[in-house]
Amino acid sequence: MIDFAGRGLLLDVEGTTTSIAFVYDTLFPYVRRSLSAFLAERAADPEVLAASEAIARESGAASLAEFRRQRAGAHALEAEVLRRMDADDKSTGLKQLQGLIWRAGYERGELRGHVYPDVPVAFAAWVAQGADIRIYSSGSVEAQRLLFTHSVAGPLAGYIQGYYDTRTGPKRSAESYRRIVNDMGRDPAGVLFFSDIAEELDAARESRLATVLVRRAEGAAPLSHPVITHFSEVRLI
């Protein structure tokens, strides 16, 4: 059992609140299946156009128009998105576009966000004790909101006070956690960061946050951070 006196709780998503398999076996394949039709139908939508422009700039072009001239081909953007997905790229433009495709899937009822069974129970208990729950993921803020709004346990977004993604900074950079704590308006020691990735926890600890490694699967865990297997093992005091 871990006793924590603060009320700031910052949580990772993949491997922490949500199965990694859901992301790789459900969300990513959904983007691949839907990408071509989505771009054909929604290319002129302002949000889709903004994400596409970001992808073009991240690829070294000054604009989407220049990107298309350079890559010559009707499906150049689609090919670039798939190439980045194959490389497990974390770029902001890609994450924005994926989030928009997932939004359409959630709204059609074709997707429901996976959360572990202890998540809704813990969220309700922590908020009842005055906790300020925030989410920090490499997935876009849009994707995070959708997952918790349309979760298999029902809508959970009401428990969450804020979301952060790669626009805040890399998850393995201490500066990212300093920015988040500043945005939360809390002392770093009063914020507990949950993740299944030791390097992310190391960065958070460098910024003086409290840390806990969430081990959802069997295997060795680093000894440098407290370890839990279930959210009920964290008690606010």
Side-chain angles (χ1 to χ4, degrees):
M1 181 68 68
I2 296 173
D3 290 336
F4 183 62
R7 288 297 181 269
L9 303 178
L10 180 65
L11 297 96
D12 171 49
V13 174
E14 291 180 30
T16 300
T17 66
T18 297
S19 167
I20 295 173
F22 172 69
V23 177
Y24 285 91
D25 297 343
T26 299
L27 289 183
F28 287 170
Y30 186 86
V31 171
R32 291 179 182 277
R33 292 195 306 271
S34 308
L35 180 61
S36 182
F38 182 86
L39 289 176
E41 295 167 5
R42 303 275 300 277
D45 288 7
E47 289 179 305
V48 177
L49 186 57
S52 301
E53 288 281 1
I55 291 169
R57 291 192 300 272
E58 291 161 355
S59 301
S63 66
L64 180 59
E66 180 181 312
F67 171 83
R68 285 173 170 157
R69 286 195 298 272
Q70 292 174 347
R71 301 294 179 96
H75 302 289
L77 182 62
E78 179 181 343
E80 176 65 11
V81 169
L82 294 175
R83 184 193 68 78
R84 292 191 188 193
M85 289 184 67
D86 289 341
D88 196 22
D89 186 72
K90 307 294 185 184
S91 65
T92 298
L94 174 63
K95 296 299 180 182
Q96 288 174 336
L97 183 61
Q98 288 173 328
L100 295 172
I101 294 172
W102 290 327
R103 180 203 291 171
Y106 282 114
E107 289 176 348
R108 287 196 291 263
E110 296 172 353
L111 293 172
R112 293 181 71 201
H114 173 268
V115 293
Y116 291 107
D118 59 332
V119 172
V121 177
F123 278 15
W126 290 336
V127 168
Q129 293 178 270
D132 175 0
I133 298 175
R134 310 284 180 111
I135 302 296
Y136 182 29
S137 173
S138 58
S140 69
V141 165
E142 169 80 0
Q144 296 171 38
R145 285 200 183 101
L146 288 166
L147 189 155
F148 290 105
T149 298
H150 301 276
S151 89
V152 293
L156 300 177
Y159 293 118
I160 300 167
Q161 299 300 309
Y163 301 86
Y164 307 93
D165 59 19
T166 53
R167 288 173 294 185
T168 297
K171 294 188 71 184
R172 300 186 184 194
S173 168
E175 179 60 29
S176 301
Y177 298 91
R178 284 191 280 270
R179 290 171 183 159
I180 290 172
V181 168
N182 183 64
D183 186 67
M184 294 176 75
R186 294 183 177 272
D187 183 86
V191 178
L192 178 61
F193 177 51
F194 299 69
S195 177
D196 64 321
I197 304 296
E199 291 81 0
E200 295 176 1
L201 296 167
D202 292 342
R205 187 171 56 189
E206 184 179 337
S207 290
R208 299 191 298 111
L209 281 72
T211 58
V212 58
L213 188 140
V214 183
R215 188 177 63 188
R216 294 291 187 176
E218 292 297 323
L223 300 178
S224 54
H225 300 276
V227 178
I228 63 171
T229 59
H230 195 280
F231 281 172
S232 64
E233 296 172 57
V234 173
R235 180 172 57 193
L236 303 186
I237 58 174

